[in-house]
Each structure stands twice: as C-alpha cells, then as structure tokens.
Amino acid sequence: MADKFLSLEKVKEVWHTQVHDEQNWALNKKLLRAFGLFVGSIIVFRNFGDQMARIFHQATMMPMISSRLSPVI
Amino acid sequence: MAAAYGQVPTTQMDTKAEEKSKKIDYFDLPCPIPYEEIQREAFMSLKPELFEGLRFDFTKGLNQKFALSHSVAMGPTELPSQSSETIKIPTAHYEFGANFIDPKLMLVGRVMTDGRLNARLKCDLTDKLTLKGNAQLTSEPHMSHGMATFDYKGSDYRAQFQMGNGALFGANYIQSVTPHLSLGGEVFWTGQHHKSGVGIATRYNTDKMVATAQVASTGMVALSFVQKVSEKVSLATDFIYNYLSKEVTSSVGYDYILRQCRLRGKIDSNGCTSAFLEERLNMGLNFILSAEIDHRKKDYKFGFGLTVGE
C-alpha cells in the first residue's frame, strides 16, 4: 500500500511532538494564547466596537481627570 | 407619461451609474502608505512613548520656521541583564535641541549632556523624490551611526533605497493592487555583519478598518488590526511572533481622543498593562502621565511630565 501524504501515524507523531513534549507545548501554549487574544479581539471589535466606544464615552463624561486637574494647576 | 414614450425609468439609470462607479480603474489607484509606516495606525495606538520618572519639555519658536527646545528627564534607566530580574540605575539628563521646519526642508538636531548628538534631515528634492538622513554621533568609538534614505513616490507605488555606515544597504517597494489593498517587499544587506534578509508585507484598509501582515526572513511575523470606530476612538490589536527566537506577544489597546486629552491604553499576552494620558491644560501646555505594570516581572513604572510649547 503506498504511503499517503497524511496518515494517522504522522498525525499522531505531530501530536506527540507538539503537545506531549514539554518544551514545544510551552511555546505552543503561548502561541495559542497570543493568537487567540488577537483573533478574539478582532471579533469583539467588529461586532461590539460601537457599543464599547459608547460605554467608554459615557464613562469619561462623568467628573474625571480633565475637570479635576485643571483647577489645581 | 414619459415612460410610455420609451424613456428608461429612473431606477434603472441609477443602477447602471452605480455599476460604473463600482468598476475599479486599475490605472488610477491611490498612492500607498510608505513601507515602513505600514502599521502606523496600530503603532500609534499600541506603542505610545511610555517613560518612567520625570519629563519636562520646553519648545520655544523663534520664528515660523525655527525653534529651540530644552528637555529634562530624570528617572531610572533599565540595564540589560541576563537574569530575569530588572536592574535599574537612576539617571538624569538634559537635552538641547534645534528644529528648522520648512515645507521642503526639515532639520532636527539634539545634543545631550553626555555628548551624544542626534540629527535628522528631510529634504524634498523634487515633487516625487525625497532625501532623508539621520545620524547618531557619540564620543565612544564605533558607536556612531548614520543612514541616508531616498524615497520615490510614484502614482500608485513607492520605492525606497537606504544606505548606512557599516555597509548597510536596503530597499523596499510597495504597490497599490486595488483601491484598498497594497502589497510590498523589502530586502536588506549588512556588509559588516554579513547578514541579509527579505520581507513581504500587505495592507488592507477601508474607512473603518486597517489590517496588515508582515513576514521577514529575520524570523518576524507581525499582524495588526485597527478598527476605527469613530474619528475619536480607535481599537487596535497586534500579534508579533519570532519563529527563530520563539518569542510571541499579542496586544489589545485603545486610543481615545477627547476634547482636552488623549488617552491610550493596552494589555498584552505577557501580563503587561500600560496607559498613557496627554492632557491639554492650556494652549501650549500639556500634562502627561505614563504607567506600565508588568505583573509577570513585577516591574512597575510610573512617570509624569509637562510639555510646554508646540
């Protein structure tokens, strides 16, 4: 039987080297966390960006830095 | 009555006009952003000039083109260390500067108390060709650097050629492919260190968002995305991975411009949060606050300062 490009053994081998190996898994975990943060942020920005800006605007319209600092100096 | 006499109804004419406007004229594409500024929106939002300690900047314009500046900075400076601990030494320095700004020529010079000199030049040789130069000169041997850059701006492309001391040569090119998409590439070679590298970059921008991707043979992969929610609010995120040094960082941040202040903040995947506030107290008087907290390294940096003048 001819060797396939993608066989179950090769998938298992990749899984063992990337997940079960401590050093590789430490890097892969950091990579997944960072990439997940990046992609998740894009999804949140595109879907809820307007609402986030509105909430932030309302929060900063309360008495904050700009009204507190100016009379002091 | 007009329709009965064979005239095309108004709605069909509007549709045809819309179709014509939607067809892209590939010979009339806009000029792209310079290659080195491909991530400028993300850079402006996610990388403010954070500092620690005190900072005071005073700029006095002598006339419309010439200005002098005085800067004082007092605070700890981080030293590179091989261990995970952060080593800081207290420093204080004064910097004197002179700026000459003309529509076609810009000269900026800064000299510090330790004898270091920074100089920058930007000259529009023609409408399309610009010469830029920068130099850092010090009294320490082999620590001075200089670089000259020629920028050519075409109708829908930009080309740049750089040369610096230490036999450093570089070139980049960026081309608009569609009204929203531009692709570019760069190559550099350092004779002194016998190193070379290539890189490619792409940028897609609309009125509401900017997305960029950059890959280089130095091992860097950089992705960024900026959502322009409004004229005053931008939300940005970036992902930087070096597959040679195995370092990865992702940041999420915001840039909020209020009437009297500008607030930028971010958090990244390494547990570091930062914020930068610029408050306009009066005409020409700005108060700045900077904060950076690295929870992982337990390194806390806070700074405050004033800038007077433009």
Side-chain angles (χ1 to χ4, degrees):
Chain A
M1 194 168 177
D3 287 337
K4 292 183 182 175
F5 177 71
L6 187 68
S7 65
L8 195 58
E9 281 82 26
K10 279 187 182 171
V11 171
K12 281 183 183 174
E13 191 186 327
V14 168
W15 180 261
H16 279 296
T17 54
Q18 296 301 321
V19 177
H20 292 157
D21 181 78
E22 272 186 26
Q23 209 170 1
N24 282 342
W25 177 239
L27 171 66
N28 288 335
K29 205 166 57 172
K30 268 199 306 185
L31 202 55
L32 283 171
R33 184 171 57 220
F35 195 69
L37 180 65
F38 178 68
V39 172
S41 305
I42 293 174
I43 294 169
V44 168
F45 291 168
R46 289 190 68 81
N47 291 325
F48 306 110
D50 292 335
Q51 293 175 27
M52 285 167 65
R54 209 173 303 130
I55 291 168
F56 197 85
H57 181 74
Q58 285 171 2
T60 51
M61 286 303 284
M62 305 286 284
M64 282 286 290
I65 300 164
S66 50
S67 62
R68 282 176 185 166
L69 278 181
S70 299
V72 171
I73 296 180
Chain B
M1 282 289 282
Y5 288 90
Q7 288 187 8
V8 179
T10 313
T11 50
Q12 285 187 14
M13 284 172 69
D14 288 342
T15 310
K16 285 181 182 175
E18 278 177 22
E19 280 177 10
K20 275 187 183 174
S21 65
K22 280 181 185 172
K23 282 184 184 172
I24 299 169
D25 182 4
Y26 287 98
F27 291 102
D28 191 26
L29 294 173
C31 191
I33 302 290
Y35 188 91
E36 68 271 14
E37 293 178 24
I38 209 165
Q39 296 190 341
R40 69 177 177 194
E41 287 86 359
F43 196 81
M44 281 196 315
S45 297
L46 296 174
K47 297 197 172 32
E49 290 178 2
L50 300 169
F51 63 98
E52 187 176 7
L54 165 75
R55 192 177 116 183
F56 177 74
D57 298 319
F58 175 73
T59 305
K60 173 72 178 172
L62 299 183
N63 58 38
Q64 280 185 345
K65 295 184 180 182
F66 190 70
L68 297 176
S69 70
H70 307 269
S71 300
V72 172
M74 300 169 73
T77 304
E78 213 167 297
L79 291 179
S81 73
Q82 291 179 352
S83 66
S84 61
E85 278 185 32
T86 310
I87 301 171
K88 296 183 184 179
I89 54 166
T91 55
H93 67 256
Y94 163 74
E95 186 180 85
F96 174 74
N99 307 330
F100 176 81
I101 297 174
D102 191 62
K104 293 209 167 185
L105 176 66
M106 185 187 83
L107 300 167
V108 174
R110 297 278 182 274
V111 62
M112 299 173 79
T113 44
D114 56 4
R116 275 183 291 163
L117 171 72
N118 290 326
R120 276 186 293 148
L121 153 79
K122 184 182 170 193
C123 177
D124 293 336
L125 299 173
T126 66
D127 284 343
K128 297 190 175 185
L129 185 63
T130 302
L131 165 66
K132 288 193 271 193
N134 66 73
Q136 290 96 40
L137 307 176
T138 72
S139 54
E140 294 173 42
H142 308 297
M143 294 296 284
S144 300
H145 304 284
M147 181 176 284
T149 304
F150 290 93
D151 292 338
Y152 185 80
K153 179 181 167 184
S155 56
D156 60 358
Y157 67 91
R158 284 184 193 256
Q160 189 182 80
F161 178 71
Q162 297 172 317
M163 49 190 179
N165 68 325
L168 170 69
F169 295 99
N172 62 60
Y173 179 85
I174 185 162
Q175 170 79 51
S176 283
V177 175
T178 72
H180 299 293
L181 179 70
S182 47
L183 302 174
E186 65 172 343
V187 60
F188 72 89
W189 180 71
T190 58
Q192 197 172 22
H193 302 287
H194 299 287
K195 281 185 182 173
S196 63
V198 294
I200 54 171
T202 179
R203 176 185 164 102
Y204 183 84
N205 65 287
T206 65
D207 293 335
K208 286 283 181 185
M209 54 78 91
V210 178
T212 68
Q214 212 167 351
V215 179
S217 63
T218 51
M220 185 198 71
V221 175
L223 312 173
S224 75
F225 179 84
V226 177
Q227 181 79 23
K228 297 176 199 172
V229 177
S230 70
E231 282 178 3
K232 296 184 177 183
V233 182
S234 294
L235 302 170
T237 179
D238 74 355
F239 172 84
I240 299 172
Y241 172 52
N242 192 318
Y243 53 80
L244 294 177
S245 65
K246 308 290 183 195
E247 284 171 6
V248 58
T249 307
S250 176
S251 309
V252 181
Y254 61 88
D255 184 353
Y256 194 69
I257 300 173
L258 283 161
R259 206 160 34 92
Q260 296 277 77
C261 74
R262 182 180 184 183
L263 179 62
R264 287 175 272 182
K266 74 162 188 191
I267 184 166
D268 69 21
S269 58
N270 295 328
C272 187
T273 62
S274 64
F276 191 81
L277 170 74
E278 295 161 279
E279 170 96 11
R280 190 170 61 128
L281 300 176
N282 209 337
M283 191 70 180
L285 181 65
N286 291 335
F287 180 68
I288 39 180
L289 284 174
S290 168
E292 188 178 6
I293 299 173
D294 191 333
H295 294 284
R296 193 164 293 179
K297 291 182 189 173
K298 292 188 174 30
D299 184 23
Y300 314 116
K301 298 177 187 168
F302 297 95
F304 69 98
L306 271 178
T307 61
V308 181
E310 295 298 320

